[in-house]
Amino acid sequence: MTPNPLRDFVVEMTRLSDRESEEARLFREATPLMADLIRRPDWLPRAYAQPSLERYQQYLLYCDPLQRFSLVSFVWGPGQQTPVHDHTTWGLIGVLEGAEQAQKYALIDGIWRPQAEEEMLEPGGLDAVSPTIGDVHRVRNAWKDRTSISIHLYGGNIGQIDRHVFDPNNGQVKPFRSGYALDSLPNIWI
Ligand code: FE
């Protein structure tokens, strides 16, 4: 078979999920796998790297049959951004192309407030979220004139998980499920 970084990642992540379920250890062992995966962008099929004028796109690249993890490509058009949101599970985020800016939020006196500086993630850079280490953030394309792509690994079938968006201005909380932009997945077995 021809080399396929996505298939290699899925195999290693499956092995890791079989032997480990504790979050800190998953982070530690998944980090080098993600670092390897985002070292080069050429493995991501074009269909899963398409921006949309309307909003940022989330393409499912793989979901573990036991829903212990999923891998998603986020494709950001110029200037696109998420609302302030949570994940309710652990996540590792790595930039493949372009650059991303992430602002973490913390609940202070009942209001979600920006915490520390906005963080710039460039190709090869990794960030982590989870209910234990800080789960609420807003992410945006750092570029106003080009597409950026990041790869996200989550501890569950992220598109089907019940999550929340937060309005930092009035404290309103809304439930949401992100879903996925396409019905198909890349074929990693060719
Ligand atoms: Fe997020």
Side-chain angles (χ1 to χ4, degrees):
M1 279 205 277
T2 48
N4 184 322
L6 177 55
R7 183 179 60 223
D8 293 347
F9 178 87
V10 164
V11 169
E12 289 310 316
M13 215 30 234
T14 304
R15 288 191 176 126
L16 173 54
S17 305
D18 284 346
R19 70 171 181 269
E20 203 53 79
S21 57
E22 200 265 318
E23 182 183 296
R25 291 194 206 117
L26 280 167
F27 272 137
R28 194 169 59 234
E29 295 198 42
T31 294
L33 301 180
M34 279 290 280
D36 254 9
L37 184 65
I38 61 170
R39 213 179 294 282
R40 283 167 38 180
D42 55 358
W43 55 267
L44 183 66
R46 290 174 71 102
Y48 303 89
Q50 295 301 315
S52 155
L53 283 175
E54 269 130 60
R55 51 166 291 152
Y56 62 95
Q57 299 290 288
Q58 299 168 72
Y59 298 105
L60 180 63
L61 302 179
Y62 183 79
C63 185
D64 172 59
L66 303 180
Q67 300 185 76
R68 296 171 298 184
F69 68 93
S70 60
L71 190 73
V72 178
S73 62
F74 268 61
V75 185
W76 310 87
Q80 288 176 345
Q81 66 172 16
T82 68
V84 180
H85 65 275
D86 67 5
H87 311 84
T88 75
T89 184
W90 60 267
L92 263 178
I93 297 148
V95 171
L96 195 65
E97 268 182 16
E100 221 177 74
Q101 287 201 291
Q103 175 66 63
K104 289 218 156 72
Y105 282 73
L107 191 60
I108 298 163
D109 299 332
I111 297 169
W112 288 98
R113 297 180 199 273
Q115 199 189 25
E117 294 280 289
E118 198 175 28
E119 219 174 294
M120 179 78 150
L121 274 188
E122 307 215 62
L126 286 170
D127 195 11
V129 291
S130 91
T132 27
I133 63 169
D135 196 34
V136 176
H137 69 174
R138 183 206 297 272
V139 184
R140 63 187 179 95
N141 188 348
W143 291 89
K144 294 219 159 19
D145 58 356
R146 58 178 276 194
T147 299
S148 290
I149 302 175
S150 53
I151 303 298
H152 298 212
L153 171 69
Y154 297 102
N157 177 9
I158 194 68
Q160 295 302 322
I161 292 178
D162 291 319
R163 300 156 66 190
H164 311 89
V165 295
F166 305 90
D167 187 330
N169 298 314
N170 58 22
Q172 248 182 25
V173 184
K174 277 197 221 141
F176 86 108
R177 278 189 189 190
S178 64
Y180 299 114
L182 281 183
D183 292 336
S184 67
L185 276 72
N187 185 347
I188 58 176
W189 300 109
I190 50 172

